Every structure is written in structure tokens, then in C-alpha cells.
């Protein structure tokens, strides 16, 4: 699998724990430098300190970042550029588990309860926050020259198999991850000719602090968790000189696959879908063909 070039820089949201922390560790081991963008400033700073102490130099910086706040992410990107001059890889990874968006369904008590505003925290973090990261990544790449691996930059988003499969207990989590996958596929087409790749990794449940540990117990007992190393292996496939673009690499336990785009009725819809892109680019003043 393609390694990164020594000294390349990665901006990782949610890097103080879970998949993000594992990614940072992997990239540092390959000679990279990392920006740990995480809301948990204490854990992020401690992790960066550990990495720097072991390396004997500044190879990691931690920046307190609420990914749902645009200004936070702008400041984090700017600090990253000021410290390391460029950013080669951006991992839009920060996410949370499902927050119940409505009260449990109960017709017997419904009339005695007021209508409530839905809790959209899951979408705010898992979709809007990642799109803020993506927007800054793509504009940063646009403003820098081609790097040592032959690209202006690479954007990798963390999705989930629930981007494809419904979950009656996680409608907003599924909606947010489906949004990430369709954004990835669309952006990958747009940036394909611009020395920028856009991809996603979509695992099933991985043993991380994203949820209380008690949730993972039955999954451990039934061996239904996806292995962290296998997840990292899929991220690795997009790095370095890899030309992969627009793929959703998916993991469930020991199974790995490239999840195909939906082609049902594609031929019938493609002429209109393609024409809308052409016409919208004209309206947007974009010279992309």
C-alpha cells in the first residue's frame, strides 16, 4: 500500500481519540507530521506532547477545534499552515453517535407533550462539520502547488456502512453518513482533473470512545466489531501516489469492499443529470466542463 512521503502534513479532525488518533499514529510512524484538531483540547495537547517527545522535534500540534464552528476550523487551518507551511492530507473524521432527534414514539402520552424542536446535533457534527473541513481542505489545496506525492492535496472523509444501509435507531446518523458519501462521489468528479482526490472510508462498528463502552460488550461477545488495523489499511490505500478517486472503501468485521454507486435507472437519468451540471456551471461562472 502506498506510504506517504516523509514530512508530508495531515490535518485530522477528531484526532485525540478513536480512528483519528490511530490515523495520526500511523502517519507519524511513516515520517509524517500531523495537526490534531479536536474539541478535547486537553487530550489533544497530551497526545501531541507524547508524539513530539518521542520524535525529539515538533511533528504534531494540537488545536482546540469545534468542527461545527466555521471560524474554529478556519483558525485551525491557518495555524496548521503557519506551522508546517502546507497541508497534504485532510481527514474529515470527527463524528458522534446518534443523539435521539425526537422523543420515543408513544401515542398514549403524545397529546400531553408539546411539540419539540428536533435535536440535529448528529447532523451538525457528522455532516456540516465534515463539510466545513472539506471546504477548507479544497480551498487550501487550490492555493498550494503540487506536493511530493504528485498532488495538490487529498481529502479523505470518514463515513459508515450506514451511509448505504438504513437503521431504525439511527436515522440522523444514517442521513449524515449518506450525505458524506454522495458529497464525496460528486466532489471527486469535480476535482478529478485538478490534482486532488476525494475518497471515503466507511466502516461498520469499530471499538472507539464514540459511544459508552457498555454498547460494545454484546458486539465483542458476538465478534461483530471491525478491526482498527483493517480500517487503517483502507485509509492507507488513498495516500502517497495512489490515484484512487471517488471510492467508498467499506469494512465490516473481516470483509472489505468498494461500495458501488447506485446505478438503478442510471441510463435513463444520466442525460438530465449531466445536463444540469453543464447548465449550473454556466450559472455559477465555473469553466469546468
Amino acid at each position: 500500500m502506498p506510504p506517504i512521503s516523509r514530512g508530508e502534513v495531515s490535518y485530522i479532525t477528531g484526532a485525540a481519540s478513536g480512528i483519528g488518533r490511530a490515523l495520526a499514529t500511523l502517519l507519524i510512524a511513516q515520517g509524517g507530521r500531523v495537526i490534531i484538531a479536536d474539541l478535547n483540547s486537553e487530550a489533544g495537547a497530551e497526545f501531541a506532547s507524547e508524539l513530539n517527545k518521542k520524535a525529539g522535534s515538533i511533528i504534531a500540534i494540537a488545536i482546540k477545534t469545534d468542527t461545527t464552528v466555521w471560524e474554529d476550523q478556519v483558525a485551525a487551518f491557518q495555524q496548521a499552515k503557519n506551522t508546517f507551511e502546507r497541508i497534504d492530507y485532510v481527514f474529515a473524521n470527527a463524528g458522534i453517535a446518534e443523539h435521539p432527534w425526537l422523543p420515543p414514539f408513544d401515542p398514549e402520552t403524545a397529546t400531553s407533550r408539546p411539540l419539540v424542536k428536533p435535536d440535529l446535533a448528529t447532523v451538525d457534527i457528522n455532516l456540516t462539520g465534515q463539510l466545513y473541513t472539506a471546504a477548507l481542505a479544497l480551498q487550501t489545496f487550490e492555493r498550494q502547488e503540487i506536493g511530493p506525492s504528485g498532488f495538490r492535496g487529498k481529502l479523505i472523509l470518514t463515513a459508515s456502512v450506514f451511509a448505504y444501509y438504513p437503521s431504525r435507531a439511527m436515522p440522523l446518523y444514517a442521513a449524515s453518513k449518506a450525505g458524506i458519501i454522495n458529497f464525496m462521489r460528486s466532489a471527486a468528479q469535480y476535482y478529478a482533473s485538478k490534482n486532488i482526490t476525494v475518497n471515503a472510508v466507511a466502516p461498520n462498528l469499530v471499538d472507539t470512545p464514540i459511544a459508552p463502552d457498555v454498547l460494545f460488550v454484546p458486539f465483542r461477545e458476538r465478534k461483530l466489531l471491525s478491526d482498527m488495523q483493517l480500517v487503517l489499511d483502507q485509509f492507507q490505500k488513498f495516500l502517497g501516489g495512489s490515484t484512487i478517486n471517488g471510492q467508498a472503501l467499506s469494512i465490516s468485521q473481516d470483509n472489505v469492499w468498494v461500495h458501488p454507486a447506485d446505478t438503478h435507472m442510471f441510463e435513463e437519468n444520466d442525460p438530465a443529470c449531466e445536463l444540469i451540471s453543464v447548465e449550473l456551471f454556466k450559472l455559477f461562472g465555473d469553466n469546468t466542463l
Side-chain angles (χ1 to χ4, degrees), residues 53-227:
K53 184 176 180 180
K54 185 176 180 180
S57 61
I58 302 299
I59 57 170
I61 60 171
I63 307 170
K64 182 178 181 180
T65 311
D66 182 340
T67 58
T68 68
V69 178
W70 171 254
E71 292 77 12
D72 268 23
Q73 291 220 55
V74 170
F77 267 81
Q78 190 58 57
Q79 187 174 336
K81 288 274 288 182
N82 290 344
T83 303
F84 294 132
E85 297 185 355
R86 67 175 285 125
I87 302 173
D88 299 283
Y89 306 99
V90 171
F91 297 85
N93 169 74
I96 62 171
E98 183 84 1
H99 280 211
W101 76 306
L102 293 177
F105 184 84
D106 184 357
E108 292 185 4
T109 63
T111 56
S112 65
R113 290 184 275 113
L115 297 174
V116 299
K117 183 179 180 180
D119 182 346
L120 301 183
T122 304
V123 172
D124 292 340
I125 295 171
N126 293 358
L127 182 58
T128 303
Q130 285 208 25
L131 292 179
Y132 280 168
T133 306
L136 285 162
L138 296 168
Q139 292 179 85
T140 297
F141 298 159
E142 182 183 10
R143 287 162 171 75
Q144 63 191 21
E145 298 300 319
I146 292 174
S149 291
F151 296 88
R152 290 183 181 274
K154 295 188 171 195
L155 170 63
I156 303 102
L157 303 106
T158 300
S160 165
V161 295
F162 290 104
Y164 330 124
Y165 310 132
S167 170
R168 63 185 185 276
M170 302 193 300
L172 294 198
Y173 188 85
S176 65
K177 296 302 184 178
I180 290 299
I181 290 296
N182 225 27
F183 164 77
M184 178 276 292
R185 295 194 193 283
S186 301
Q189 289 184 6
Y190 181 83
Y191 288 96
S193 62
K194 299 171 173 59
N195 297 113
I196 295 169
T197 62
V198 186
N199 292 286
V201 174
N204 206 323
L205 194 63
V206 183
D207 201 341
T208 72
I210 195 171
D213 188 69
V214 65
L215 176 69
F216 295 97
V217 173
F219 292 89
R220 293 189 193 112
E221 292 173 348
R222 296 178 61 182
K223 301 188 185 311
L224 290 176
L225 291 171
S226 299
D227 179 68

